[in-house]
């Protein structure tokens, strides 16, 4: 028995952990799906920017939520999934009170639900979440399902090739794939989700040559029609 305990203890000591990636910002994990997200400082702000990355650290999407009409500040922002965002707005009174509303958005900025009260997200149950709020002397709990969302869904950035040479010093080739006659925008982001450049592209070519001589060395992402790839400038 002593030998068995000793072997188990030795195996635990030999366990390894590996640092995969460090974000130079605070990030959290979206409860549904394989995503990280970060939110700019929003408390008492007039807008908030949400940056969502997939688990391969590719930039999935960036969304800006402006202050809702009639309200002055945003008091909370919380991505529920890569498709739904919870946000609370409020207006201060001179007497020190406030009025609040809670809005559920999709990530295209469309309003899904308005609640004329402050609210908060409670538990997550599989593909469901609970939203609690207090109104007219009564406490309510609403149960929502995230319809049409596969818990194992993952945005796979495989519809076009990877950047080359990668890492790059001067010029890098960024491939893309568009249908005949199609036009799109190629967006270049730094690792913090800040957009650096925007290029208009069409189906005449399948790549652009990007001059990165002025770029600060580090990790960047380029995105076309929601598909993103990473490249490195050294």
């Amino acid at each position: 028995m002593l030998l068995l305990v000793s072997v188990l203890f030795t195996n635990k000591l030999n366990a390894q952990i590996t640092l995969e990636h460090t974000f130079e910002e605070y990030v959290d994990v979206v409860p549904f799906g394989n995503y990280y997200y970060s939110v700019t400082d929003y408390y008492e702000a007039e807008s908030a920017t949400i940056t969502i990355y997939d688990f391969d650290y590719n930039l999935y999407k960036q969304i800006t939520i402006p202050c809702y009409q009639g309200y002055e500040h945003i008091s909370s922002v919380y991505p529920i999934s890569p498709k739904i965002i919870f946000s609370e707005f409020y207006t201060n009174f001179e007497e020190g009170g406030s009025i609040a509303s809670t809005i559920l958005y999709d990530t295209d900025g469309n309003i899904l639900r308005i609640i004329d009260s402050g609210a908060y997200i409670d538990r997550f149950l599989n593909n469901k979440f609970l939203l609690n709020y207090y109104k007219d002397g009564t406490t309510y709990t609403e149960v929502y399902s995230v319809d049409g969302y596969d818990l194992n869904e993952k945005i796979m950035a495989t519809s076009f090739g990877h950047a080359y040479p990668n890492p790059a010093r001067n010029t890098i080739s960024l491939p893309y794939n568009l249908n005949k006659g199609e036009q799109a925008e190629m967006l270049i982001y730094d690792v913090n989700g800040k957009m650096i450049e925007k290029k208009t592209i069409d189906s005449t070519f399948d790549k652009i040559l990007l001059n990165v001589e002025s770029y600060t060395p580090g990790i960047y992402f380029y995105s076309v029609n929601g598909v993103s790839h990473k490249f490195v400038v050294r």
Side-chain angles (χ1 to χ4, degrees):
M1 179 63 70
L2 290 176
L3 177 60
L4 178 60
V5 172
S6 176
V7 170
L8 291 175
F9 183 69
T10 301
N11 285 341
K12 286 182 178 292
L13 287 179
N14 290 334
Q16 300 273 333
I17 63 169
T18 303
L19 175 63
E20 272 195 5
H21 184 76
T22 300
F23 290 94
E24 294 183 0
E25 57 186 324
Y26 175 79
V27 302
D28 207 337
V29 179
V30 173
F32 300 136
N34 299 321
Y35 295 88
Y36 301 102
Y37 73 88
S38 66
V39 183
T40 57
D41 292 337
Y42 55 81
Y43 189 70
E44 295 194 352
E46 295 181 356
S47 65
T49 300
I50 303 156
T51 305
I52 302 177
Y53 306 91
D54 70 17
F55 264 19
D56 288 333
Y57 314 116
N58 295 303
L59 178 70
Y60 167 49
K61 200 163 193 180
Q62 190 171 58
I63 311 105
T64 297
I65 299 294
C67 208
Y68 187 58
Q69 291 181 343
Y71 291 84
E72 296 177 354
H73 304 297
I74 300 177
S75 61
S76 61
V77 178
Y78 188 69
I80 298 170
S81 82
K83 297 182 179 180
I84 301 176
I85 296 167
F86 164 93
S87 192
E88 186 177 86
F89 304 86
Y90 72 97
T91 299
N92 286 328
F93 291 127
E94 292 182 2
E95 294 81 5
S98 65
I99 185 170
S101 281
T102 301
I103 301 178
L104 297 180
Y105 293 91
D106 66 20
T107 51
D108 292 323
N110 301 309
I111 294 176
L112 303 175
R113 173 83 163 93
I114 299 177
I115 299 170
D116 294 326
S117 175
Y120 65 92
I121 299 295
D122 194 355
R123 293 186 300 270
F124 294 88
L125 306 168
N126 296 324
N127 68 329
K128 303 178 190 295
F129 65 90
L130 307 184
L131 191 149
N132 297 310
Y133 62 95
Y134 182 82
K135 185 175 181 181
D136 298 330
T138 302
T139 299
Y140 298 87
T141 297
E142 296 181 343
V143 181
Y144 291 88
S145 60
V146 186
D147 292 332
Y149 187 72
D150 180 357
L151 296 183
N152 296 314
E153 178 184 353
K154 189 170 184 298
I155 301 300
M156 300 300 292
T158 57
S159 65
F160 46 81
H162 292 273
Y164 62 91
N166 192 10
R169 290 184 184 275
N170 303 311
T171 303
I172 189 167
S173 178
L174 304 180
Y176 61 86
N177 183 31
L178 296 178
N179 296 322
K180 185 175 181 180
E182 183 182 2
Q183 292 187 343
E185 289 184 338
M186 177 182 289
L187 307 177
I188 315 295
Y189 297 90
D190 66 15
V191 72
N192 295 315
K194 179 182 177 182
M195 190 171 70
I196 304 299
E197 289 196 61
K198 180 191 297 185
K199 304 287 187 182
T200 301
I201 56 178
D202 64 15
S203 60
T204 304
F205 302 99
D206 61 0
K207 60 181 174 292
I208 68 166
L209 295 177
L210 181 69
N211 187 329
V212 295
E213 289 182 346
S214 63
Y215 280 39
T216 301
I219 297 173
Y220 294 85
F221 302 91
Y222 75 102
S223 175
V224 178
N225 288 340
V227 177
S228 301
H229 279 306
K230 177 174 69 175
F231 65 93
V232 177
V233 175
R234 59 184 180 185

